[in-house]
């Protein structure tokens, strides 16, 4: 495969932990090397965290913003440090001042979705080369305030790469996809009514309700270059279950 021969040496040299990655993680980095917008819809346990952070490292991104739920924010820091990322690269923005950390040499800014508005000026204080949205299904409601704040932030950095992460990209209905398309500025995310008319089935009446999907094969084809789905059953390189112990 031409792309393997073309980009694998560059990726391998940029990642000192290359040989410790699983085969499906290495393949994902190679196959998606040229994509500016990417949705890693990997099932839980397939290594989305290091895969997304490696994109920044491979492309020599000087500043990456990681947005995620509060509950997993410090997992990002711990997991990346385990892979050899320098602790001094990380800024942590938290609603509690005592839990916030300012990096000496900022390369990664980790913030939870709920405080994006509060830290907007700080997040936007320098150029951003890569946005990572973890548990991206938290952004499925395109009219929510948190999503509007994220859209404003992304709009300030039109050249940045964007990587969405979620094991469950579509939680309830097919129109969950619309918000992701809107954030990246895709044609499918420009008109919500048009999207619903094209890809959903609705009840007829004054208060119509979405009851199913429509033209899903067409939508699948249009998303195929953006959303990458991997399941545990497909990843034969996985080891037996690993149990982590945390003492409090």
């Amino acid at each position: 495969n031409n792309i393997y021969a073309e980009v694998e040496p560059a990726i391998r040299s940029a990642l000192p932990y290359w040989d410790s990655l699983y085969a499906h993680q290495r393949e994902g980095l190679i196959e998606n090397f040229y994509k500016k917008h990417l949705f890693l819809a990997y099932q839980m346990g397939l290594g989305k965290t290091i895969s997304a952070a490696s994109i920044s490292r491979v492309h020599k991104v000087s500043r990456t913003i990681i947005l995620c739920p509060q509950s997993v924010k410090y997992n990002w820091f711990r997991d990346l440090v385990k892979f050899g990322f320098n602790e001094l690269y990380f800024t942590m923005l938290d609603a509690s001042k005592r839990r916030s950390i300012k990096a000496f040499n900022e390369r990664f800014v980790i913030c939870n979705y709920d405080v994006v508005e509060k830290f907007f000026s700080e997040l936007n204080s320098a150029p951003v080369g890569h946005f990572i949205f973890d548990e991206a299904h938290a952004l499925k409601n395109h009219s929510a305030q948190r999503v509007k704040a994220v859209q404003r932030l992304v709009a300030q950095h039109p050249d940045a790469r964007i990587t969405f992460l979620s094991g469950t990209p579509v939680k309830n209905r097919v129109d969950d996809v619309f918000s992701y398309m809107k954030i990246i500025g895709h044609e499918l995310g420009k008109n919500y009514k048009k999207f619903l008319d094209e890809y959903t089935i609705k009840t007829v009446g004054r208060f119509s309700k979405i009851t199913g999907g429509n033209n899903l094969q067409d939508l699948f084809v249009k998303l195929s270059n953006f959303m990458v789905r991997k399941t545990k059953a497909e990843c034969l390189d996985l080891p037996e279950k690993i149990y982590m112990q945390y003492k409090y």
Side-chain angles (χ1 to χ4, degrees), residues 6-207:
E6 184 179 332
V7 305
E8 183 180 0
I11 297 176
R12 180 187 289 273
S13 64
L15 304 179
Y17 48 81
W18 172 257
D19 290 328
S20 66
L21 294 176
Y22 295 124
H24 71 269
Q25 293 171 318
R26 295 196 295 264
E27 288 167 6
L29 287 169
I30 292 169
E31 291 165 0
N32 300 299
F33 179 81
Y34 289 110
K35 293 181 183 176
K36 181 182 178 184
H37 301 139
L38 178 64
F39 199 124
L40 294 180
Y42 291 8
Q43 272 189 339
M44 190 174 71
L46 296 185
K48 295 186 288 292
T49 298
I50 190 60
S51 295
S54 294
I55 292 172
S56 290
R57 198 155 178 167
V58 164
H59 291 283
K60 297 180 173 60
V61 173
S62 59
R63 188 166 182 258
T64 298
I65 288 180
I66 301 166
L67 298 182
C68 59
Q70 168 74 17
S71 58
V72 301
K73 185 161 62 176
Y74 289 89
N75 292 355
W76 272 88
F77 175 76
R78 286 192 291 264
D79 289 351
L80 295 182
V81 168
K82 281 181 191 172
F83 273 92
F85 285 64
N86 192 324
E87 291 187 31
L88 303 182
Y89 289 168
F90 293 89
T91 288
M92 309 286 287
L93 300 178
D94 195 280
S96 168
K97 279 189 176 180
R98 67 181 181 81
R99 288 170 62 86
S100 291
I101 303 168
K102 180 66 178 173
F104 283 97
N105 183 11
E106 184 178 273
R107 295 196 187 178
F108 293 90
V109 183
I110 305 175
C111 179
N112 49 301
Y113 290 119
D114 297 330
V115 293
V116 169
E117 196 73 61
K118 177 180 179 179
F119 290 108
F120 192 87
S121 59
E122 191 158 350
L123 291 167
N124 197 39
S125 62
V128 180
H130 187 197
F131 287 101
I132 298 174
F133 301 128
D134 192 15
E135 305 290 349
H137 47 267
L139 300 173
K140 66 179 182 175
N141 183 356
H142 69 98
S143 60
Q145 287 303 313
R146 69 166 61 171
V147 179
K148 289 179 180 178
V150 166
Q151 289 168 355
R152 282 199 301 122
L153 183 61
V154 168
Q156 301 294 313
H157 307 273
D159 296 326
R161 294 176 178 274
I162 299 176
T163 303
F164 297 88
L165 309 176
S166 178
T168 52
V170 179
K171 291 283 280 185
N172 298 310
R173 306 181 315 202
V174 67
D175 60 312
D176 291 352
V177 171
F178 177 82
S179 187
Y180 311 140
M181 300 292 101
K182 188 172 183 178
I183 289 170
I184 66 174
H186 192 279
E187 190 67 31
L188 286 174
K190 290 190 174 175
N191 188 308
Y192 187 53
K193 184 181 181 305
K194 184 178 177 182
F195 184 93
L196 294 184
D197 291 344
E198 185 75 22
Y199 298 111
T200 64
I201 300 169
K202 295 178 288 185
T203 57
V204 178
R206 185 178 173 188
F207 300 104

